[in-house]
Amino acid sequence: MAWDTQRAADIIETYKHLDGPALPVLRALQLEFGYLPDEAVSQVAEALNLSRAEVHGVVTFYHDFRREPGGRTSLKVCRAEACQAMGGDALGDEARRRLGVDWHGTTRDGEVTLEPMFCLGLCSVAPAAQVGDRLVARADWPKLEEALRKCRP
Amino acid sequence: MPSVTRIYVPADSAALALGADEVAAALAAEAKRAGAAVEIVRNGSRGMHWLEPLVEVQTASGRIAYGPVTAADVPGLLKAGLLEGAAHALRIGDPAQHPFLARQTRWTFARCGIIDPVSWDDYTAHGGGQGLARARTLGAKATLEAVTASGLRGRGGAGFPAGIKWRTVHDAPGDTKYVVCNADEGDSGTFADRMVMEGDPFALLEGMVICGLAVGARKGFIYIRSEYPRAIAVLEHALVVARANGLFEDCAIELRIGAGSYVCGEETALLESLEGKRGQVRAKPPLPAHHGLFGKPTVVNNVLTLATVPEILLRGPEAYAALGTGRSRGTLPWQLAGNIKHGGLFEAPFGMTLGEIVDDVGGGSATGRPVRAVQVGGPLGAYFPRALFDTPLDYEAFAARDGLVGHGGVVVFDDSVDMARQARFAMEFCAAESCGKCTPCRVGSVRGMEVIDKILAGRDVDANLSLLEDLCNTLRLGSLCALGGFVPYPVMSAVRHFPQDFRTP
């Protein structure tokens, strides 16, 4: 969604009263707009009485925050040890090959963004992945493809 | 027989990831078609993850389990008489009698998988709320003494005695104090916090309120990682129900969600993050107990630590302290993960050996190949070979063998594992997740990757191995927190126990 100053102001207002509001505010903005453009950094800094440098520092520290839009669906593949023990590396390689993108990349049609992640807490049913909101255990490419298909409108 | 049959279908993440929602939908549809009245309860997981989705039916003779169930199995199961607990190839019988559960000693997980996680009635019918009632009767001083007497140590990994931490915050001057629950369970191979939050969230909330009463804090925060969407949803629901039932009269609890940073599981980085800053580690001292959230005295405890407290007060600290070995008292929920046949949650008193839990309880590898290495304690834990399988699972015994218990994750690898690659990954992970505050961790992890790459390429292997050891010593002694300080555990244990993997012919 394109940046909407009024909508953003409403969201900031909802969380501004919290102790230490920066993360809840940024999270809510990203949920709404899909990413945090420069306008977000300026507007949050202004509203929370922080410098733009401080907000920029927070936004760039955390893996969840995006500075540019991603694909319509995110495919997250766990790269941590328990999943490695069950072929997680090969699954990650296959996902990159099939989608034709590297980690953090978005497919040319703008459908899928491939993200590495470290642990979904599904270490007993590895390898694990998340497609949109769907968790996938004992994942292989056919299972991921099916989950991606289910995410299409 | 009751007119409405209760069916339990877990909504734990592991069960959901294996199709539990589809199973629940199929059960509802097929029961309707058959004209049978059913109530489907979405419970937590019993912890037998290789049997998930594990469907249970309430029958006249108790609960009967079936698993692993797929949506396609449902018509056949109903036809066979699932609602009466009848025979079927997937029938497990009484889940409590299953050897994997019957061998356990459950305190932290006493209710998980049994109750409806967001039903206050279910919770109180199974002992919930009685720990808090006991704490109110005892008062702050005696509650502190009880927690200390139980021998409970911080389950996040550091193993610091909970009672001493609580007393420090209690004794610290000031009117404003905080209870912070560290639910940033980022260690690969661990999911016990997630299971408690999804399967018995009121236990955590009750534990936090007890802590607040004991130390004099009127506000608590749960800092949960964003990678746990299901746990977040259950906690949000549980908070509403608990508030409506008056749980937060003395201490209000708020949920905060992380933003994808492993180092925020470190307590001071977590506090920075809660304050809305970059998750950078603080130098200690001052300890959070003196100077914590917003500069106020703060208890920071792991989910398991806090969720065990109500049960300790309910059953008595002596009973908890009677379990375990040496200075490791009580139980630990071990998490069996990776390449393991019977993966899941196994709560037992400290003192079993690593071999028992991997081979006897876990059934060896999932692939059927020989188990070659086991990483205990997350990405910063040591890799142990079979030769160390006699190591008892307790804090001091692991430390004596240059390992750590950490948060109780046990990740099994079969003989296809390349330990030099695992060592490299440990450095890569440290580089990716370093907060950047201290030089040994920020720079050392990158240099560590480079040195291991040279070793893997066969360049000056002896010289580079000694350089790696030297670098690990710098990281171990010079880092501000456990990320840089402990990454030498996986790296050096791989070098020490699996030297052949670092010398490719």
Side-chain angles (χ1 to χ4, degrees), chain B residues 26 29 52 81 114 122 139 158 209 230 238-239 247 286 305 316 318 383 415-416 498-499 502:
Chain B
E52 292 290 357
I114 296 173
D122 238 8
V209 172
R230 175 68 196 162
L239 281 167
L247 183 65
T305 318
E318 304 79 18
Y383 286 98
D415 62 352
S416 64
F498 306 91
F502 291 80

Side-chain angles (χ1 to χ4, degrees), chain A residues 19 57 62-64 84 123-124, chain B residues 49 226 256 277-278 338 422:
Chain A
D19 297 323
Y62 296 94
H63 298 310
D64 283 1
Q84 291 168 11
C123 322
S124 53
Chain B
H49 290 163
S226 61
R256 288 296 176 87
K277 302 172 191 158
R278 293 163 68 88
Q422 297 308 121

Side-chain angles (χ1 to χ4, degrees), chain B residues 123-482:
Chain B
Y123 182 64
T124 50
H126 287 81
Q130 292 180 37
L132 177 58
R134 180 92 188 114
R136 286 198 209 282
T137 311
L138 287 173
K141 279 252 159 62
T143 302
L144 289 172
E145 276 159 26
V147 173
T148 308
S150 74
L152 178 67
R153 291 164 68 175
R155 296 287 184 247
F160 189 82
I164 295 177
K165 187 182 278 185
W166 289 23
R167 179 177 301 281
T168 309
V169 174
H170 173 270
D171 292 347
D175 292 334
T176 307
K177 296 173 185 182
Y178 295 107
V179 179
V180 171
C181 169
N182 184 345
D184 194 51
E185 184 178 52
D187 285 356
S188 170
T190 68
F191 42 79
D193 294 353
R194 176 183 69 63
M195 283 182 63
V196 168
M197 293 186 287
E198 293 176 355
D200 192 11
F202 296 135
L204 169 61
L205 302 181
E206 186 184 342
M208 290 181 72
V209 172
I210 293 171
C211 180
L213 279 172
V215 306
R218 299 187 56 84
K219 181 88 194 254
F221 291 93
I222 302 170
Y223 184 93
I224 188 171
R225 60 201 301 261
S226 61
E227 294 88 341
Y228 280 178
R230 175 68 196 162
I232 291 168
V234 176
L235 275 175
E236 279 173 344
H237 189 165
L239 281 167
V240 172
V241 176
R243 198 172 294 127
N245 283 279
L247 183 65
F248 304 139
E249 277 168 22
D250 300 293
C251 181
I253 293 172
E254 199 175 310
L255 185 68
R256 288 296 176 87
I257 301 165
S261 161
Y262 176 75
V263 80
C264 285
E266 197 282 335
E267 61 177 2
T268 61
L270 186 155
L271 295 175
E272 289 286 301
S273 185
L274 264 180
E275 291 180 8
K277 302 172 191 158
R278 293 163 68 88
Q280 283 194 314
V281 173
R282 297 177 185 170
K284 288 193 277 192
L287 296 168
H290 292 126
H291 193 90
L293 186 63
F294 302 113
K296 305 297 182 190
T298 304
V299 172
V300 185
N301 270 148
N302 171 254
V303 172
L304 300 180
T305 318
L306 291 161
T308 310
V309 168
E311 201 69 10
I312 287 174
L313 290 179
L314 171 64
R315 294 201 233 170
E318 304 79 18
Y320 193 72
L323 302 167
T325 175
R327 286 173 48 215
S328 303
R329 311 313 310 176
T331 62
L332 189 78
W334 300 95
Q335 297 128 81
L336 310 184
N339 195 334
I340 192 157
K341 192 172 171 195
H342 297 152
L345 191 290
F346 190 88
E347 182 173 355
F350 290 93
M352 287 177 79
T353 66
L354 180 57
E356 278 176 281
I357 206 150
V358 171
D359 292 332
D360 301 349
V361 174
S365 73
T367 45
R369 298 170 67 107
V371 172
R372 182 160 184 246
V374 178
Q375 188 180 31
V376 182
L380 307 174
Y383 286 98
F384 276 17
R386 287 205 81 93
L388 295 181
F389 271 23
D390 62 340
T391 312
L393 295 166
D394 92 64
Y395 292 111
E396 280 69 39
F398 260 71
R401 289 184 164 181
D402 291 327
L404 50 115
V405 163
H407 186 47
V410 177
V411 178
V412 176
F413 293 82
D414 71 13
D415 62 352
S416 64
V417 67
D418 177 346
M419 293 307 297
R421 277 193 64 172
Q422 297 308 121
R424 190 195 187 279
F425 175 77
M427 286 293 190
E428 183 188 341
F429 181 70
C430 183
E433 296 298 326
S434 176
C435 81
K437 177 132 174 175
C438 71
T439 314
C441 176
R442 184 184 66 246
V443 179
S445 52
V446 178
R447 292 288 175 262
M449 271 197 292
E450 293 166 359
V451 173
I452 295 173
D453 281 341
K454 286 178 191 163
I455 294 167
L456 288 173
R459 282 168 54 193
D460 303 324
V461 173
D462 289 318
N464 277 314
L465 277 171
S466 63
L467 187 60
L468 182 63
E469 185 166 2
D470 195 40
L471 179 65
C472 279
N473 281 330
T474 304
L475 277 157
R476 187 167 59 85
L477 300 169
S479 300
L480 267 179
C481 84

